[in-house]
Amino acid sequence: MDKRTLTFRIFRHNPFDPVSVPRLQEFRVEETPRMTLYTALTRIREEMDPSLQFDFVCRSAVCGSCAMLVNGRPRLACRTRTEPLPDKVTLLPLPFFRLVGDLSVDTGTWFRDMGRRVESWVHQHRAFEPGAEEERMSNEQAQAIYELDRCIECGCCVAACGMAQMSPDFLGSAGMLRIARFLVDPRDHRPEEAVFEVIGTEEGVFGCIGLLACDDFCPKDLPLASRLAYLRRRLALAAMRPSPSTTTGPVPVR
Amino acid sequence: MAVHTLWRDTQPSGPLKVRLGGEMALRNLGQQAQPIPTPLKLSASSQAVSMPSGRAWPALAAQPGRVLGRLELALTFSGLGLSVFMVMHLGLLFSVLLGTWAMDGLAGFLERYYLLHIGGSFLLLFLVGHVFVASRKVPTAFGRQRALLHHMRSINHMDTWTWLFQGLSGVALLALAAIHLWVIATDLPIEAAKSGARVFQTYLWFYVPLVLLVEGHISIGLARAAAKWGLLSRPVAHRALLAWTAVVLGLGFAILVTLYRLGGTL
Ligand code: HEM
Ligand code: FES
């Protein structure tokens, strides 16, 4: 097969530079066997323009730092091969997140904030006893937690979500998944109302309109659609029960 | 142009300002800023009504969520109710394929026992309820619509496009259904010959889009509802509804052709 020359149209802008104007810049790169966008971008930075900003750490779909819009769709650049792509590829930074420069966005701040909003830590209403033996957890339970803990926080789901583009406060399915992760954790004792207060809102599951692009574009194939459905069922059922009384204290989740 | 739009969308108000900072999140939770608690802060006194963060969870805080949850159920049940009505409606019209006598007989039966009136009242109730709860989901502000359209064109994702159809067809149906209901209700009783004459004379080009829009709206709506409540996986839901759509559209157009012919022979 003939070698292709790929044309990359890459978003360039430095928001910290007052004279910088957002624009698309073209780079031509000869395709090599098994080339990924990571390889191509590195070639561009090393051989053509050292000022090009983009993020990489692991190069193997583990760290979640390289997500960007490839021809309009969110993908991890490090695991996107150039081979199935057309000759012209447009690379844009992920929408929704704060732009750091060129293709680099700050997903960390949003995810940290999301973690705070959903209180992404184990809630117990018992005092910690340092001397007590650790409680055991079945292998299935541990695996169920792990399955929902595989999120690499790349931001593809939020960038793929139509609702998130309209409402910056939307928790996104990453946030919903995080709550779902604590609901399967037997160590977590947050009361049903706590779950309700955080995601039983228009920024949570009841704001979701079910486009489910999050599920289709998650590079880790997390069960986003099924967990969203689970939370929706659970919260809707809870909404049909009479409201809990204030005097009895926390209602255990299960 | 597109670049500027994108830039504006990704750019917060000031370059160094941290978007969605903790402050905003805590406003969402109706709370004042508090440090993230560590397990060491747990105390036995937090047992009663508060979480380790020292926060009380008043039951009242759950109220808006309860209403939203019920609205969410109401959306699906009203959509489902309307779909059931449309199936019965299809049943009535299907009878014309057997002959005018069948449709006239069935319509007469429904009218004699006031089933038509009961069905019509339910339809109105469900329609108004459905519009009420569904419109909550539709972006009405220009900025939101623009952001959504920009996103739809960029991501080019099927279930995202179908939602646009869902919203637009819903709004169109509101108008078309109102006209249709008025025309029928002011020209009772229902008779095959009258329907045929209507289709033949003026209403063919009213009914063709109506049939297409209703069928599309129901199919996509049911598939979406099944997926969003987790009743069916999306591939299964898509296939089931595609098959259903083919059958209903086939029947719908067979009925329209029959009525049109009937109108032509009068
Ligand atoms: C014959 C009449 C109609 C039928 C059978 C019908 C059926 C349905 C169904 C089954 C759904 C899915 C519900 C869900 O997602 O839970 C739906 C959703 C929707 N309907 Fe209708 N509908 C009808 C008329 C209308 C009208 C008149 C409007 C006008 C505003 C409308 C607007 C919507 C919207 C915007 C949605 C999407 C809601 C969402 O994404 O969550 N529908 N409809
Ligand atoms: S570089 Fe780590 S996920 Fe792509």
Side-chain angles (χ1 to χ4, degrees), chain A residues 52-67:
Chain A
L52 179 65
Q53 293 186 62
F54 57 94
D55 296 324
F56 288 92
V57 181
C58 70
R59 293 157 293 142
S60 52
V62 172
C63 72
S65 50
C66 66

Side-chain angles (χ1 to χ4, degrees), chain A residues 55 65 67 93-95 97-108, chain B residues 10:
Chain A
D55 296 324
S65 50
L94 281 193
F97 297 102
R98 189 177 69 98
L99 183 66
V100 176
D102 300 342
L103 298 175
S104 169
V105 293
D106 171 13
T107 47
Chain B
T10 51

Side-chain angles (χ1 to χ4, degrees), chain B residues 75-76 79 82-83 130 134 138 163 166 170 174 217-218 221-222 225 228:
Chain B
L75 173 59
T76 299
L82 287 169
S83 307
H130 183 72
V138 179
W163 192 80
Q166 190 80 4
L174 186 57
H217 189 88
I218 294 184
L222 289 179
K228 103 181 178 187

Side-chain angles (χ1 to χ4, degrees), chain A residues 22 89 124 144:
Chain A
V89 180
Q124 292 212 334

Side-chain angles (χ1 to χ4, degrees), chain B residues 49-65:
Chain B
V49 285
S50 60
M51 298 302 295
S53 59
R55 168 200 293 191
W57 296 99
L60 264 184
Q63 289 303 327

Side-chain angles (χ1 to χ4, degrees), chain A residues 11 13 15-16 21-24 69 71-74 92-99 109-110 113 116-117 119 121 123-128 159-163 165-169 189-191 193-194 196-198 200-203 205-213 215-217 225 228-229 232-233 235-246 248-250, chain B residues 3-4 6-7 9-12 14-31 33-37 39-40 42-44 46-53 55-70 72-73 136-137 139 143-145 147-148 151-152 154-160 163-164 224 227-231 234:
Chain A
F11 177 86
H13 177 52
F16 300 98
V21 180
R23 66 199 180 280
L24 288 177
L69 292 187
N71 287 337
R73 300 172 142 202
L92 302 175
L94 281 193
F96 187 81
F97 297 102
R98 189 177 69 98
L99 183 66
T109 304
W110 186 84
D113 200 72
R116 266 194 203 239
R117 285 168 71 189
E119 308 206 337
W121 53 87
H123 290 62
Q124 292 212 334
H125 47 71
R126 283 180 309 209
F128 176 60
C161 172
M163 188 43 83
Q165 311 313 308
M166 294 191 283
S167 18
D169 286 354
H189 301 152
R190 65 184 78 199
E193 299 95 285
F196 227 113
E197 193 186 331
V198 182
T201 60
E202 296 202 287
E203 285 76 47
V205 271
F206 297 141
C208 167
I209 49 178
L211 308 176
L212 295 179
D215 191 78
D216 291 335
F217 286 96
L228 276 170
R232 181 178 271 116
R233 286 199 302 269
L235 263 64
L237 281 181
M240 293 315 288
R241 289 199 290 269
S243 61
S245 114
T246 14
T248 52
Chain B
V3 179
H4 283 266
L6 178 103
W7 174 72
D9 290 348
T10 51
Q11 184 65 5
L16 278 171
K17 204 169 141 200
V18 177
R19 189 180 187 199
L20 279 177
E23 211 184 323
M24 180 190 263
L26 289 161
R27 172 171 59 67
N28 287 331
L29 294 175
Q31 275 282 300
Q34 271 179 3
I36 296 178
L40 290 177
L42 291 175
S43 70
S46 67
Q47 269 190 24
V49 285
S50 60
M51 298 302 295
S53 59
R55 168 200 293 191
W57 296 99
L60 264 184
Q63 289 303 327
R66 305 194 100 76
V67 177
L68 286 174
R70 291 172 192 196
E72 191 79 14
L73 279 168
R136 189 176 65 82
K137 302 265 188 173
R144 284 165 62 93
Q145 292 171 344
L148 186 64
H151 169 75
M152 284 171 162
S154 162
I155 198 164
N156 194 16
H157 168 249
M158 190 176 68
D159 280 345
T160 303
W163 192 80
L164 181 68
R224 185 180 299 288
K228 103 181 178 187
W229 293 102
L231 306 174
R234 271 186 303 154

Side-chain angles (χ1 to χ4, degrees), chain A residues 50-242:
Chain A
S51 72
L52 179 65
Q53 293 186 62
F54 57 94
D55 296 324
F56 288 92
V57 181
C58 70
R59 293 157 293 142
S60 52
V62 172
C63 72
S65 50
C66 66
M68 56 184 70
L69 292 187
V70 181
N71 287 337
R73 300 172 142 202
R75 332 239 334 215
L76 292 181
C78 72
R79 61 171 262 181
T80 303
R81 292 268 189 100
T82 54
E83 198 195 318
L85 296 176
D87 293 349
K88 279 192 193 240
V89 180
T90 305
L91 299 179
L92 302 175
L94 281 193
F96 187 81
F97 297 102
R98 189 177 69 98
L99 183 66
V100 176
D102 300 342
L103 298 175
S104 169
V105 293
D106 171 13
T107 47
T109 304
W110 186 84
F111 273 95
R112 178 168 165 276
D113 200 72
M114 177 277 278
R116 266 194 203 239
R117 285 168 71 189
V118 305
E119 308 206 337
S120 181
W121 53 87
V122 168
H123 290 62
Q124 292 212 334
H125 47 71
R126 283 180 309 209
F128 176 60
E129 288 178 35
E133 199 184 325
E134 261 188 79
E135 275 172 42
R136 282 170 185 274
M137 184 190 285
S138 75
N139 204 33
E140 291 74 46
Q141 271 174 331
Q143 264 168 352
I145 297 173
Y146 179 70
E147 169 66 7
L148 304 185
D149 231 0
R150 291 189 298 113
C151 174
I152 58 172
E153 307 198 346
C154 61
C156 283
C157 57
V158 188
C161 172
M163 188 43 83
Q165 311 313 308
M166 294 191 283
S167 18
D169 286 354
F170 191 54
L171 258 181
S173 54
M176 260 56 101
L177 189 78
R178 189 64 61 83
I179 281 266
R181 176 241 174 276
F182 283 98
L183 291 184
V184 295
D185 191 331
R187 294 163 297 187
D188 192 73
H189 301 152
R190 65 184 78 199
E192 186 111 54
E193 299 95 285
V195 179
F196 227 113
E197 193 186 331
V198 182
I199 56 167
T201 60
E202 296 202 287
E203 285 76 47
V205 271
F206 297 141
C208 167
I209 49 178
L211 308 176
L212 295 179
C214 53
D215 191 78
D216 291 335
F217 286 96
C218 174
K220 303 302 280 184
D221 291 325
L222 287 162
L224 295 173
S226 86
R227 289 310 85 192
L228 276 170
Y230 166 74
L231 291 174
R232 181 178 271 116
R233 286 199 302 269
R234 181 174 171 139
L235 263 64
L237 281 181
M240 293 315 288
R241 289 199 290 269

